[in-house]
Amino acid sequence: MDLKLFGEVFVTLLVIVDPPGMVPVFLALTGTLPTRERTRAGTQAVLLALGVIVVFAVAGQTLLDYLHVQLPALQGAGGLLLVLVALQLLTGKTDEPSEQGGTTNVALVPIGTPLLAGPGAIVATMLFVQRADGATDYTVIGLAILGVMATVWLVLRFSGGLVKLLRPAGIEVLTRIAGLLLAAIAVQLIADAVAAFVELYAAAG
């Protein structure tokens, strides 16, 4: 087993996904839920993110080529999606996820994707797979991805203790802060996508 490759993939994806940075957003979206529903939302988000990353690792480039979509477009789309969620958090007009369907929606979008399985994680995984040499490297990359997702799940699973500490007023403040952070992430994603397109077409021209 190539421990160097494992460490490289694990650390890279962990930094991109940023589990501690996910906690404010996760609590802002699920802070009013019962503990069981919050845990379920975290599990669904992690499973979706794992599925999306694995799909793009296996067939990402083929899928994008078939759809004639370039990576900067995927990045820009993720940014636009985060803008919508950020506006909801900043204005307080979030959909109340009191029913199971609402919980699932919150878990899938935006937590599962594009926050956990966002353009950064997808592109990094695709690059690692392209560099891989043989079944052993593929296995190491897969184990590293599983390790990152397990770490994320543990962080989200035990973030519920903050809910009791913050209480409703604290959750309200945290929601606004999370909205601001999401807006900044969204603007950065869109700016990076625009810059990538400009560089791409400048090189082509």
Side-chain angles (χ1 to χ4, degrees):
M1 180 174 176
D2 190 344
L3 293 179
K4 181 181 178 182
L5 176 61
F6 178 88
E8 187 178 354
V9 176
F10 183 85
V11 172
T12 300
L13 290 180
L14 197 66
V15 170
I16 292 174
V17 173
D18 187 20
M22 275 294 305
V23 170
V25 179
F26 180 71
L27 292 182
L29 292 170
T30 64
T32 58
L33 294 175
T35 302
R36 179 178 294 182
E37 293 297 320
R38 191 185 313 114
T39 301
R40 180 184 299 172
T43 302
Q44 289 174 336
V46 169
L47 289 177
L48 173 70
L50 177 62
V52 170
I53 289 176
V54 169
V55 167
F56 274 94
V58 174
Q61 194 60 56
T62 303
L63 179 63
L64 293 180
D65 290 343
Y66 177 76
L67 296 174
H68 303 290
V69 173
Q70 296 173 328
L71 287 175
L74 188 67
Q75 197 168 12
L80 291 174
L81 182 59
L82 287 185
V83 165
L84 296 177
V85 178
L87 289 176
Q88 287 184 334
L89 292 177
L90 287 170
T91 58
K93 295 180 179 178
T94 54
D95 297 329
E96 193 66 33
S98 56
E99 300 178 1
Q100 185 174 351
T103 304
T104 302
N105 291 339
V106 167
L108 301 185
V109 179
I111 300 173
T113 182
L115 287 177
L116 291 180
I122 289 172
V123 172
T125 304
M126 289 171 60
L127 291 177
F128 280 122
V129 169
Q130 288 174 6
R131 284 171 41 194
D133 182 21
T136 302
D137 284 355
Y138 293 133
T139 302
V140 170
I141 293 172
L143 291 174
I145 293 172
L146 286 174
V148 170
M149 289 299 132
T151 303
V152 172
W153 183 84
L154 287 173
V155 171
L156 297 184
R157 170 68 178 81
F158 293 104
S159 64
L162 289 175
V163 175
K164 298 178 182 178
L165 182 66
L166 292 172
R167 301 184 182 277
I171 293 293
E172 185 72 19
V173 173
L174 191 64
T175 300
R176 299 297 184 267
I177 295 174
L180 185 61
L181 292 175
L182 269 187
I185 294 171
V187 170
Q188 187 64 56
L189 280 174
I190 295 172
D192 289 345
V194 171
F197 270 123
V198 170
E199 184 178 347
L200 189 66
Y201 286 113

